[in-house]
Amino acid sequence: MAMANIKDLVVGGRIIKPGSSENFATGDWRSYVPVVDQDKCIDCYTCWIYCPDNSIVFRDDKMSGIKMSHCKGCGICARVCPKGAITMKEE
């Protein structure tokens, strides 16, 4: 995978074309990753509600994982999880 040239980047990392945010892999700069213990998860959607990057993936009303291409490792999901099913691990 080719690295982006600094001259190709938009100033301030802004997304200037509507609907194009999916094209930006914003998860590349994180230091921590969320780890989900599916045995503890109650599929309450709390992590999904609070995730600022829409990185939590649900399928058939079950939490199926985290979209790491967009997760910035902020840890909000781990802090709001009522069952402690998400922990943060250094990447």
Side-chain angles (χ1 to χ4, degrees), residues 34-50:
V35 177
V36 181
D37 182 341
Q38 292 292 352
D39 293 332
K40 291 182 180 179
C41 181
I42 59 171
D43 303 307
C44 65
Y45 280 80
T46 303
C47 57
W48 180 81
I49 291 167
Y50 282 92

Side-chain angles (χ1 to χ4, degrees), residues 34-82:
V35 177
V36 181
D37 182 341
Q38 292 292 352
D39 293 332
K40 291 182 180 179
C41 181
I42 59 171
D43 303 307
C44 65
Y45 280 80
T46 303
C47 57
W48 180 81
I49 291 167
Y50 282 92
C51 178
D53 299 307
N54 195 27
S55 297
I56 311 296
V57 180
F58 273 82
R59 287 198 178 87
D60 299 323
D61 290 329
K62 298 278 184 196
M63 201 269 219
S64 63
I66 298 172
K67 190 185 324 179
M68 298 310 258
S69 59
H70 290 288
C71 174
K72 294 179 185 73
C74 68
I76 292 173
C77 57
R79 286 192 295 276
V80 300
C81 180

